[in-house]
Every structure is written in structure tokens, then in C-alpha cells.
Coordinates of all heavy atoms in Angstrom, one line a residue:
M1 N 76.9 -78.6 -1.5 CA 76.5 -79.8 -0.8 C 76.4 -79.6 0.7 O 77.3 -79.0 1.2 CB 77.4 -81.0 -1.2 CG 77.0 -82.3 -0.5 SD 78.0 -83.7 -0.9 CE 77.1 -84.2 -2.4
K2 N 75.4 -80.1 1.3 CA 75.2 -79.9 2.7 C 75.7 -81.2 3.4 O 75.8 -82.3 2.8 CB 73.8 -79.7 3.1 CG 73.2 -78.5 2.4 CD 73.8 -77.2 2.9 CE 73.1 -76.1 2.2 NZ 73.9 -74.9 2.1
E3 N 76.0 -81.1 4.7 CA 76.5 -82.2 5.5 C 75.5 -83.4 5.5 O 76.0 -84.6 5.4 CB 76.8 -81.8 6.9 CG 78.0 -80.9 7.0 CD 78.4 -80.5 8.4 OE1 77.6 -80.9 9.4 OE2 79.3 -79.8 8.6
D4 N 74.2 -83.2 5.6 CA 73.3 -84.3 5.6 C 73.2 -85.0 4.2 O 73.1 -86.2 4.2 CB 71.9 -83.8 6.0 CG 71.3 -82.7 5.1 OD1 72.1 -82.0 4.5 OD2 70.0 -82.6 5.1
Q5 N 73.4 -84.3 3.1 CA 73.5 -84.9 1.8 C 74.8 -85.7 1.7 O 74.7 -86.8 1.1 CB 73.5 -83.8 0.7 CG 72.3 -83.0 0.6 CD 72.4 -81.8 -0.3 OE1 73.4 -81.1 -0.2 NE2 71.4 -81.6 -1.2
L6 N 75.9 -85.3 2.2 CA 77.1 -86.0 2.2 C 77.0 -87.3 3.0 O 77.4 -88.4 2.6 CB 78.2 -85.1 2.8 CG 79.7 -85.5 2.4 CD1 79.9 -85.6 0.9 CD2 80.6 -84.6 3.1
R7 N 76.3 -87.2 4.2 CA 76.1 -88.4 5.0 C 75.3 -89.4 4.3 O 75.6 -90.6 4.3 CB 75.4 -88.0 6.3 CG 75.1 -89.2 7.2 CD 74.5 -88.7 8.5 NE 75.3 -87.8 9.3 CZ 76.2 -88.2 10.2 NH1 76.4 -89.5 10.3 NH2 76.9 -87.3 10.9
V8 N 74.2 -89.0 3.6 CA 73.4 -90.0 2.8 C 74.2 -90.6 1.7 O 74.1 -91.8 1.5 CB 72.1 -89.2 2.3 CG1 71.4 -90.1 1.3 CG2 71.2 -88.8 3.4
L9 N 75.0 -89.8 1.0 CA 75.8 -90.4 -0.1 C 76.7 -91.4 0.4 O 76.8 -92.5 -0.2 CB 76.5 -89.2 -0.8 CG 77.5 -89.6 -1.9 CD1 76.8 -90.2 -3.1 CD2 78.4 -88.5 -2.3
F10 N 77.4 -91.2 1.5 CA 78.4 -92.1 2.0 C 77.9 -93.3 2.8 O 78.5 -94.3 2.9 CB 79.5 -91.4 2.8 CG 80.5 -90.7 1.9 CD1 80.3 -89.4 1.4 CD2 81.6 -91.3 1.4 CE1 81.2 -88.8 0.6 CE2 82.5 -90.7 0.6 CZ 82.3 -89.4 0.2
S11 N 76.6 -93.1 3.3 CA 76.0 -94.2 4.1 C 75.7 -95.4 3.3 O 75.5 -96.5 3.8 CB 74.7 -93.7 4.7 OG 75.0 -92.7 5.7
K12 N 75.7 -95.3 2.0 CA 75.5 -96.4 1.1 C 76.6 -97.4 1.2 O 76.4 -98.6 0.8 CB 75.4 -96.0 -0.4 CG 74.2 -95.0 -0.7 CD 74.3 -94.5 -2.1 CE 73.2 -93.5 -2.3 NZ 73.3 -92.8 -3.6
Y13 N 77.8 -97.0 1.7 CA 78.9 -97.9 1.8 C 79.3 -98.4 3.2 O 80.2 -99.2 3.3 CB 80.1 -97.1 1.2 CG 79.8 -96.7 -0.2 CD1 79.4 -95.4 -0.5 CD2 79.9 -97.6 -1.3 CE1 79.1 -95.0 -1.8 CE2 79.5 -97.2 -2.6 CZ 79.1 -95.9 -2.8 OH 78.8 -95.6 -4.1
G14 N 78.6 -97.9 4.2 CA 78.8 -98.4 5.5 C 78.3 -97.3 6.5 O 77.9 -96.2 6.2
E15 N 78.5 -97.6 7.8 CA 78.0 -96.7 8.9 C 79.0 -95.5 9.0 O 80.2 -95.7 9.1 CB 78.0 -97.4 10.2 CG 77.4 -96.6 11.3 CD 77.3 -97.4 12.6 OE1 77.4 -98.6 12.6 OE2 77.0 -96.7 13.6
V16 N 78.4 -94.3 8.9 CA 79.1 -93.1 8.9 C 79.1 -92.6 10.4 O 78.0 -92.4 11.0 CB 78.5 -92.0 8.0 CG1 79.2 -90.7 8.2 CG2 78.6 -92.5 6.5
K17 N 80.3 -92.4 10.9 CA 80.4 -91.9 12.3 C 80.2 -90.4 12.4 O 79.5 -89.9 13.3 CB 81.8 -92.3 12.8 CG 82.0 -92.0 14.3 CD 83.4 -92.5 14.7 CE 83.6 -92.2 16.2 NZ 84.9 -92.7 16.6
S18 N 80.8 -89.6 11.5 CA 80.6 -88.2 11.5 C 80.9 -87.6 10.1 O 81.6 -88.2 9.3 CB 81.6 -87.5 12.5 OG 82.9 -87.7 12.1
V19 N 80.3 -86.4 9.9 CA 80.5 -85.7 8.6 C 80.7 -84.2 9.0 O 80.1 -83.7 9.9 CB 79.3 -85.8 7.7 CG1 79.4 -84.9 6.5 CG2 79.0 -87.2 7.3
K20 N 81.7 -83.6 8.3 CA 82.0 -82.2 8.6 C 82.4 -81.5 7.3 O 83.3 -82.0 6.6 CB 83.1 -82.0 9.6 CG 83.4 -80.5 9.9 CD 82.3 -79.8 10.6 CE 82.7 -78.4 10.9 NZ 81.6 -77.5 11.2
I21 N 81.7 -80.4 6.9 CA 82.1 -79.6 5.8 C 82.5 -78.2 6.4 O 81.6 -77.5 6.9 CB 81.0 -79.4 4.8 CG1 80.6 -80.8 4.2 CG2 81.4 -78.4 3.7 CD1 79.4 -80.7 3.2
P22 N 83.8 -77.9 6.4 CA 84.2 -76.6 6.9 C 83.6 -75.4 6.1 O 83.5 -75.5 4.9 CB 85.7 -76.6 6.8 CG 86.1 -78.1 6.7 CD 84.9 -78.7 6.0
T23 N 83.3 -74.3 6.8 CA 82.8 -73.1 6.1 C 83.7 -71.9 6.5 O 84.4 -72.0 7.5 CB 81.3 -72.9 6.5 OG1 81.3 -72.7 7.9 CG2 80.4 -74.0 6.0
T24 N 83.5 -70.9 5.7 CA 84.2 -69.6 6.0 C 83.2 -68.5 5.7 O 82.2 -68.7 5.0 CB 85.5 -69.5 5.1 OG1 86.2 -68.3 5.6 CG2 85.1 -69.3 3.7
T25 N 83.4 -67.4 6.3 CA 82.5 -66.2 6.1 C 83.2 -65.2 5.3 O 84.4 -64.8 5.6 CB 82.1 -65.6 7.5 OG1 81.5 -66.6 8.3 CG2 81.2 -64.5 7.3
T26 N 82.6 -64.8 4.2 CA 83.1 -63.7 3.4 C 82.3 -62.4 3.6 O 81.1 -62.5 3.9 CB 83.1 -64.1 1.9 OG1 81.7 -64.3 1.5 CG2 83.9 -65.3 1.6
C27 N 83.0 -61.3 3.5 CA 82.3 -60.0 3.7 C 82.5 -59.2 2.4 O 83.6 -59.0 1.9 CB 82.9 -59.3 4.9 SG 82.0 -57.9 5.3
T28 N 81.4 -58.8 1.8 CA 81.4 -57.9 0.6 C 80.6 -56.7 0.8 O 79.6 -56.7 1.7 CB 80.9 -58.7 -0.6 OG1 79.6 -59.2 -0.4 CG2 81.8 -59.8 -1.0
K29 N 80.9 -55.7 0.1 CA 80.1 -54.4 0.2 C 79.1 -54.4 -1.0 O 79.5 -54.5 -2.1 CB 81.1 -53.2 0.1 CG 80.5 -52.0 0.6 CD 81.6 -50.9 0.8 CE 81.0 -49.7 1.4 NZ 82.1 -48.7 1.6
V30 N 77.8 -54.3 -0.6 CA 76.7 -54.2 -1.6 C 75.9 -53.0 -1.3 O 75.3 -52.8 -0.3 CB 75.8 -55.5 -1.5 CG1 74.7 -55.4 -2.5 CG2 76.7 -56.8 -1.7
K31 N 75.9 -52.1 -2.3 CA 75.2 -50.8 -2.2 C 75.5 -50.1 -0.9 O 74.6 -49.6 -0.2 CB 73.7 -51.1 -2.3 CG 73.2 -51.6 -3.6 CD 71.7 -51.8 -3.7 CE 71.4 -52.4 -5.1 NZ 69.9 -52.6 -5.2
G32 N 76.8 -50.0 -0.6 CA 77.3 -49.3 0.6 C 77.1 -50.0 1.9 O 77.5 -49.5 2.9
E33 N 76.6 -51.2 1.9 CA 76.4 -52.0 3.1 C 77.2 -53.3 3.1 O 77.4 -53.9 2.0 CB 74.9 -52.4 3.3 CG 73.9 -51.3 3.3 CD 73.3 -51.0 4.7 OE1 73.5 -51.9 5.5 OE2 72.7 -50.0 4.8
F34 N 77.8 -53.6 4.2 CA 78.6 -54.9 4.2 C 77.6 -56.1 4.4 O 76.8 -56.0 5.3 CB 79.6 -54.8 5.4 CG 80.8 -53.9 5.1 CD1 80.8 -52.7 5.7 CD2 81.8 -54.3 4.2 CE1 81.9 -51.8 5.4 CE2 82.8 -53.5 3.9 CZ 82.9 -52.2 4.5
V35 N 77.9 -57.1 3.6 CA 77.0 -58.3 3.7 C 77.9 -59.5 3.9 O 78.9 -59.7 3.2 CB 76.3 -58.5 2.3 CG1 75.5 -59.8 2.4 CG2 75.4 -57.3 2.0
E36 N 77.6 -60.2 5.0 CA 78.4 -61.5 5.3 C 77.7 -62.6 4.7 O 76.5 -62.8 4.8 CB 78.5 -61.6 6.8 CG 79.5 -60.7 7.5 CD 79.7 -61.0 8.9 OE1 79.0 -61.8 9.5 OE2 80.5 -60.3 9.5
T37 N 78.5 -63.5 4.1 CA 78.0 -64.7 3.4 C 78.8 -65.9 3.9 O 80.0 -65.9 3.9 CB 78.1 -64.7 1.9 OG1 77.4 -63.5 1.5 CG2 77.4 -65.8 1.3
V38 N 78.1 -67.0 4.4 CA 78.8 -68.2 4.8 C 78.9 -69.1 3.6 O 77.9 -69.4 3.0 CB 78.1 -68.9 5.9 CG1 78.8 -70.2 6.3 CG2 78.0 -67.9 7.2
I39 N 80.1 -69.6 3.2 CA 80.3 -70.5 2.1 C 81.2 -71.7 2.5 O 81.9 -71.6 3.5 CB 80.9 -69.7 0.9 CG1 82.3 -69.2 1.2 CG2 80.0 -68.7 0.3 CD1 83.1 -68.6 0.1
S40 N 81.0 -72.7 1.7 CA 81.8 -73.9 2.0 C 83.3 -73.7 1.6 O 83.6 -72.9 0.6 CB 81.3 -75.1 1.1 OG 82.2 -76.1 1.0
C41 N 84.2 -74.3 2.2 CA 85.6 -74.2 1.9 C 86.0 -75.1 0.7 O 87.1 -75.1 0.2 CB 86.5 -74.6 3.1 SG 86.4 -73.5 4.4
G42 N 85.0 -75.9 0.2 CA 85.2 -76.7 -1.0 C 85.7 -78.1 -0.7 O 86.1 -78.9 -1.6
F43 N 85.7 -78.6 0.6 CA 86.1 -79.9 0.9 C 85.3 -80.4 2.2 O 84.6 -79.5 2.8 CB 87.6 -80.0 1.2 CG 88.1 -79.2 2.3 CD1 88.2 -79.7 3.6 CD2 88.5 -77.9 2.0 CE1 88.7 -78.9 4.6 CE2 89.0 -77.1 3.1 CZ 89.1 -77.6 4.4
G44 N 85.3 -81.6 2.5 CA 84.6 -82.1 3.6 C 85.3 -83.4 4.2 O 86.2 -83.9 3.6
F45 N 84.9 -83.7 5.4 CA 85.5 -84.9 6.1 C 84.4 -85.9 6.4 O 83.3 -85.5 6.9 CB 86.1 -84.5 7.4 CG 87.2 -83.5 7.3 CD1 86.9 -82.1 7.4 CD2 88.5 -83.9 6.9 CE1 88.0 -81.2 7.3 CE2 89.5 -82.9 6.8 CZ 89.2 -81.6 6.9
V46 N 84.6 -87.2 6.1 CA 83.7 -88.2 6.4 C 84.4 -89.3 7.2 O 85.5 -89.8 6.7 CB 83.1 -88.9 5.1 CG1 82.1 -90.0 5.5 CG2 82.4 -87.8 4.3
C47 N 83.9 -89.6 8.3 CA 84.5 -90.6 9.2 C 83.6 -91.8 9.3 O 82.4 -91.7 9.7 CB 84.8 -90.1 10.6 SG 85.6 -91.2 11.7
F48 N 84.1 -93.0 8.9 CA 83.4 -94.3 8.9 C 83.7 -95.0 10.2 O 84.7 -94.8 10.8 CB 83.7 -95.2 7.8 CG 83.1 -94.7 6.5 CD1 83.9 -93.9 5.6 CD2 81.9 -95.1 6.1 CE1 83.4 -93.5 4.4 CE2 81.3 -94.7 4.9 CZ 82.1 -93.9 4.0
T49 N 82.8 -95.9 10.6 CA 83.0 -96.7 11.9 C 84.0 -97.8 11.6 O 84.6 -98.3 12.6 CB 81.7 -97.3 12.4 OG1 81.1 -98.1 11.4 CG2 80.8 -96.2 12.9
D50 N 84.2 -98.2 10.3 CA 85.2 -99.2 10.1 C 85.9 -98.9 8.7 O 85.4 -98.3 7.9 CB 84.6 -100.6 10.0 CG 83.6 -100.8 8.9 OD1 82.4 -100.5 9.1 OD2 84.1 -101.3 7.8
S51 N 87.1 -99.5 8.6 CA 88.0 -99.1 7.4 C 87.5 -99.8 6.1 O 87.7 -99.3 5.1 CB 89.4 -99.6 7.7 OG 89.5 -101.0 7.9
E52 N 86.7 -100.9 6.3 CA 86.2 -101.6 5.1 C 85.2 -100.7 4.4 O 85.1 -100.6 3.1 CB 85.6 -102.9 5.4 CG 86.6 -104.0 5.8 CD 87.7 -104.2 4.7 OE1 87.3 -104.3 3.5 OE2 88.9 -104.2 5.0
A53 N 84.4 -100.0 5.1 CA 83.4 -99.1 4.6 C 84.1 -97.9 3.9 O 83.7 -97.5 2.8 CB 82.4 -98.6 5.7
A54 N 85.1 -97.4 4.5 CA 85.9 -96.3 3.9 C 86.5 -96.7 2.6 O 86.5 -96.0 1.6 CB 87.0 -95.8 4.9
K55 N 87.0 -98.0 2.6 CA 87.7 -98.5 1.4 C 86.6 -98.7 0.2 O 86.9 -98.4 -0.9 CB 88.3 -99.8 1.7 CG 89.1 -100.4 0.5 CD 89.7 -101.7 0.9 CE 90.4 -102.3 -0.3 NZ 91.0 -103.6 0.0
A56 N 85.4 -99.2 0.6 CA 84.4 -99.3 -0.4 C 83.9 -98.0 -1.0 O 83.8 -97.9 -2.2 CB 83.2 -100.1 0.2
A57 N 83.8 -97.0 -0.2 CA 83.4 -95.7 -0.7 C 84.5 -95.1 -1.5 O 84.2 -94.5 -2.6 CB 83.1 -94.7 0.5
F58 N 85.7 -95.3 -1.1 CA 86.9 -94.8 -1.9 C 86.9 -95.4 -3.3 O 87.0 -94.7 -4.3 CB 88.2 -95.1 -1.2 CG 89.4 -94.6 -1.9 CD1 89.9 -93.4 -1.6 CD2 90.1 -95.5 -2.8 CE1 91.1 -93.0 -2.3 CE2 91.2 -95.0 -3.5 CZ 91.7 -93.8 -3.2
E59 N 86.7 -96.7 -3.4 CA 86.8 -97.4 -4.7 C 85.6 -97.0 -5.6 O 85.7 -97.0 -6.8 CB 86.8 -98.9 -4.4 CG 88.1 -99.4 -3.8 CD 88.2 -100.9 -3.4 OE1 87.1 -101.5 -3.5 OE2 89.2 -101.3 -3.0
A60 N 84.4 -96.8 -5.0 CA 83.2 -96.5 -5.7 C 83.2 -95.0 -6.2 O 82.7 -94.8 -7.3 CB 82.0 -96.9 -4.9
L61 N 83.6 -94.1 -5.4 CA 83.4 -92.7 -5.6 C 84.6 -91.9 -6.0 O 84.4 -90.8 -6.6 CB 82.7 -92.1 -4.4 CG 81.3 -92.6 -4.0 CD1 80.9 -92.0 -2.7 CD2 80.3 -92.3 -5.1
N62 N 85.8 -92.3 -5.8 CA 87.0 -91.5 -6.1 C 87.1 -91.2 -7.6 O 87.0 -92.1 -8.4 CB 88.2 -92.2 -5.6 CG 89.4 -91.3 -5.6 OD1 89.3 -90.1 -5.4 ND2 90.6 -91.9 -5.9
G63 N 87.1 -89.9 -7.8 CA 87.2 -89.4 -9.2 C 85.9 -89.3 -10.0 O 85.9 -88.9 -11.1
Q64 N 84.8 -89.6 -9.3 CA 83.5 -89.6 -9.9 C 82.8 -88.2 -9.8 O 83.0 -87.5 -8.7 CB 82.6 -90.6 -9.3 CG 83.1 -92.0 -9.4 CD 83.2 -92.5 -10.9 OE1 82.2 -92.3 -11.7 NE2 84.3 -93.1 -11.2
L65 N 82.1 -87.8 -10.8 CA 81.2 -86.6 -10.6 C 79.9 -87.1 -10.0 O 79.4 -88.3 -10.2 CB 80.8 -86.1 -12.0 CG 81.9 -85.3 -12.7 CD1 81.5 -85.0 -14.1 CD2 82.4 -84.1 -12.0
L66 N 79.3 -86.3 -9.2 CA 78.1 -86.7 -8.4 C 76.9 -86.6 -9.4 O 76.5 -85.5 -9.8 CB 77.9 -85.8 -7.2 CG 79.0 -85.9 -6.2 CD1 78.7 -85.0 -5.0 CD2 79.1 -87.3 -5.7
Q67 N 76.2 -87.7 -9.6 CA 75.1 -87.7 -10.6 C 73.9 -87.0 -10.0 O 73.1 -86.4 -10.8 CB 74.7 -89.2 -10.9 CG 75.8 -90.0 -11.5 CD 76.3 -89.4 -12.8 OE1 75.6 -88.9 -13.6 NE2 77.6 -89.5 -13.0
D68 N 73.7 -87.0 -8.7 CA 72.5 -86.3 -8.1 C 72.7 -84.8 -8.0 O 71.8 -84.1 -7.6 CB 72.3 -86.8 -6.7 CG 72.0 -88.3 -6.6 OD1 71.5 -88.8 -7.7 OD2 72.2 -89.0 -5.6
F69 N 73.9 -84.3 -8.4 CA 74.1 -82.9 -8.4 C 74.6 -82.4 -9.7 O 75.8 -82.4 -10.0 CB 75.2 -82.5 -7.3 CG 74.7 -82.9 -5.9 CD1 75.0 -84.2 -5.4 CD2 74.0 -82.0 -5.1 CE1 74.6 -84.5 -4.1 CE2 73.6 -82.4 -3.9 CZ 73.8 -83.6 -3.4
P70 N 73.7 -82.1 -10.7 CA 74.1 -81.8 -12.0 C 75.0 -80.6 -12.2 O 75.7 -80.5 -13.2 CB 72.7 -81.6 -12.7 CG 71.7 -81.4 -11.7 CD 72.3 -82.1 -10.4
D71 N 75.0 -79.7 -11.2 CA 75.8 -78.5 -11.3 C 77.3 -78.8 -10.9 O 78.1 -78.0 -11.0 CB 75.3 -77.4 -10.4 CG 73.9 -76.9 -10.9 OD1 73.6 -77.0 -12.1 OD2 73.2 -76.3 -10.1
S72 N 77.5 -80.0 -10.4 CA 78.8 -80.4 -10.0 C 79.7 -80.5 -11.2 O 79.5 -81.2 -12.1 CB 78.8 -81.7 -9.2 OG 80.0 -82.2 -8.9
K73 N 80.8 -79.7 -11.1 CA 81.8 -79.7 -12.2 C 83.1 -80.4 -11.9 O 83.9 -80.6 -12.7 CB 82.0 -78.3 -12.7 CG 80.7 -77.6 -13.3 CD 81.0 -76.2 -13.7 CE 79.8 -75.6 -14.3 NZ 78.9 -74.9 -13.5
R74 N 83.3 -80.7 -10.6 CA 84.5 -81.3 -10.2 C 84.3 -82.7 -9.6 O 83.3 -82.9 -8.9 CB 85.2 -80.4 -9.1 CG 85.7 -79.1 -9.6 CD 86.4 -78.3 -8.6 NE 85.4 -77.2 -8.2 CZ 85.5 -76.5 -7.1 NH1 86.4 -76.8 -6.2 NH2 84.6 -75.6 -6.9
P75 N 85.2 -83.6 -9.9 CA 85.1 -84.9 -9.4 C 85.4 -85.0 -7.9 O 86.1 -84.1 -7.4 CB 86.0 -85.7 -10.2 CG 87.1 -84.8 -10.6 CD 86.4 -83.4 -10.8
L76 N 84.9 -86.0 -7.2 CA 85.3 -86.2 -5.8 C 86.8 -86.7 -5.8 O 87.1 -87.6 -6.6 CB 84.4 -87.3 -5.2 CG 83.0 -86.9 -4.9 CD1 82.2 -88.1 -4.4 CD2 83.0 -85.8 -3.8
I77 N 87.6 -86.2 -4.9 CA 88.9 -86.6 -4.7 C 89.1 -87.0 -3.3 O 88.8 -86.2 -2.4 CB 89.9 -85.5 -5.2 CG1 89.7 -85.1 -6.6 CG2 91.4 -85.9 -4.9 CD1 90.5 -83.9 -7.1
F78 N 89.6 -88.2 -3.0 CA 89.7 -88.7 -1.7 C 91.1 -88.7 -1.2 O 92.1 -88.9 -2.0 CB 89.2 -90.2 -1.6 CG 87.7 -90.3 -1.7 CD1 87.1 -90.1 -2.9 CD2 87.0 -90.7 -0.6 CE1 85.7 -90.3 -3.0 CE2 85.6 -90.9 -0.7 CZ 85.0 -90.7 -1.9
S79 N 91.2 -88.6 0.1 CA 92.5 -88.9 0.8 C 92.1 -89.6 2.1 O 91.1 -89.2 2.7 CB 93.3 -87.6 1.1 OG 93.7 -87.0 0.0
Y80 N 92.9 -90.5 2.6 CA 92.7 -91.1 3.9 C 93.3 -90.3 4.9 O 94.3 -89.6 4.7 CB 93.3 -92.5 3.9 CG 92.6 -93.6 3.1 CD1 93.1 -94.1 2.0 CD2 91.3 -94.0 3.6 CE1 92.4 -95.1 1.2 CE2 90.6 -95.0 2.8 CZ 91.2 -95.5 1.7 OH 90.5 -96.4 1.0
F81 N 92.7 -90.3 6.1 CA 93.3 -89.5 7.2 C 94.7 -89.9 7.6 O 95.0 -91.1 7.6 CB 92.4 -89.7 8.5 CG 93.0 -89.1 9.7 CD1 92.9 -87.7 9.9 CD2 93.7 -89.8 10.6 CE1 93.4 -87.1 11.0 CE2 94.2 -89.3 11.7 CZ 94.1 -87.9 12.0
Q82 N 95.5 -89.0 7.8 CA 96.9 -89.2 8.3 C 97.1 -88.2 9.5 O 96.7 -87.1 9.4 CB 97.9 -88.9 7.2 CG 97.9 -89.9 6.1 CD 99.0 -89.5 5.1 OE1 99.2 -88.4 4.8 NE2 99.6 -90.5 4.5
S83 N 97.8 -88.7 10.5 CA 98.1 -87.8 11.6 C 99.1 -86.8 11.1 O 99.8 -86.9 10.1 CB 98.7 -88.6 12.8 OG 100.0 -89.1 12.4
K84 N 99.2 -85.7 11.8 CA 100.2 -84.6 11.5 C 101.6 -85.2 11.3 O 102.3 -84.8 10.4 CB 100.1 -83.5 12.5 CG 100.7 -82.2 12.1 CD 100.4 -81.2 13.1 CE 100.7 -79.8 12.6 NZ 100.3 -78.7 13.5
M85 N 102.0 -86.1 12.3 CA 103.3 -86.6 12.2 C 103.5 -87.4 10.9 O 104.6 -87.3 10.3 CB 103.5 -87.5 13.5 CG 105.0 -87.9 13.6 SD 106.0 -86.5 14.0 CE 106.4 -86.9 15.7
D86 N 102.5 -88.2 10.5 CA 102.7 -89.0 9.3 C 102.8 -88.1 8.1 O 103.5 -88.4 7.2 CB 101.5 -89.9 9.1 CG 101.4 -91.1 10.2 OD1 102.5 -91.4 10.7 OD2 100.4 -91.7 10.4
R87 N 102.0 -87.0 8.1 CA 102.1 -86.1 6.9 C 103.5 -85.5 6.8 O 104.0 -85.2 5.7 CB 101.0 -85.0 7.0 CG 99.6 -85.5 6.8 CD 98.6 -84.4 6.6 NE 98.6 -83.4 7.7 CZ 97.8 -83.5 8.7 NH1 97.0 -84.4 8.9 NH2 97.9 -82.5 9.7
K88 N 104.1 -85.1 7.9 CA 105.4 -84.5 7.9 C 106.5 -85.5 7.3 O 107.4 -85.1 6.7 CB 105.8 -84.1 9.3 CG 105.2 -82.9 9.8 CD 105.7 -82.4 11.1 CE 105.0 -81.2 11.6 NZ 105.5 -80.7 12.9
N89 N 106.3 -86.8 7.6 CA 107.3 -87.8 7.1 C 107.0 -88.0 5.7 O 107.8 -88.3 4.9 CB 107.2 -89.1 8.0 CG 107.6 -88.9 9.4 OD1 108.4 -88.0 9.7 ND2 107.1 -89.7 10.3

């Protein structure tokens, strides 16, 4: 999934402030040559302008498979943002 697709999906529930899907680069050797490939880390961040929109998206999509992506084999799993200090506690 690309960032623009994620933005469209979550925009149905309210105004999206930002979207980020972290990526990593892998390096493999193919026929004696090194090939770099950029791949998704398998998760993303969506920031809404208000908490009600985030709650609506959470209730509608948490645990659901994405219908628009038939190759999707894993459900969406949500977590709300917590500061580093909150996570430690």
C-alpha cells in the first residue's frame, strides 16, 4: 500500500493531517550484482486533525481486511499514539 492510498482510505472518516509509511532498503546479490530494493516496513502512521475522526476510523477498520486490496492477507491493527514516557509506564 502506498501513502496516497492510505490517505484516501482514512479520509473517509475525517480530515487526515499526515500519513507516513516507513521503508527500508534491502540489498541482495542477483547474478553477481548487488541490487537494492526499497520495501515497506509493514506498518504506517496516520494523523487526524481531531480525535473523533481517529476514533471513527478505529471503530470501522480495526481488525478488518482491506476489500480494495485482494492480496491483503493481514487485518489492520490499530494503536493510538502514546508518548515515549507513557509507553514506559
Side-chain angles (χ1 to χ4, degrees):
M1 178 175 273
K2 304 291 183 208
E3 288 180 1
D4 58 337
Q5 294 170 313
L6 199 59
R7 180 180 296 276
V8 169
L9 175 67
F10 281 89
S11 292
K12 297 173 186 174
Y13 302 98
E15 186 178 347
V16 174
K17 186 175 182 180
S18 64
V19 173
K20 178 68 178 163
I21 298 176
T23 58
T24 188
T25 303
T26 61
C27 188
T28 56
K29 199 169 187 179
V30 178
K31 296 183 181 178
E33 303 250 348
F34 287 103
V35 178
E36 289 186 351
T37 307
V38 178
I39 59 170
S40 165
C41 291
F43 60 91
F45 301 97
V46 178
C47 181
F48 286 93
T49 56
D50 66 272
S51 61
E52 290 302 314
K55 184 178 177 184
F58 181 90
E59 290 173 355
L61 296 174
N62 193 31
Q64 301 296 315
L65 290 174
L66 299 177
Q67 301 302 322
D68 296 337
F69 298 90
D71 294 337
S72 177
K73 295 179 175 94
R74 290 183 256 164
L76 287 174
I77 300 171
F78 285 74
S79 292
Y80 286 110
F81 171 80
Q82 291 180 322
S83 68
K84 195 172 193 177
M85 189 69 109
D86 290 341
R87 287 192 308 266
K88 284 183 179 181
N89 294 334

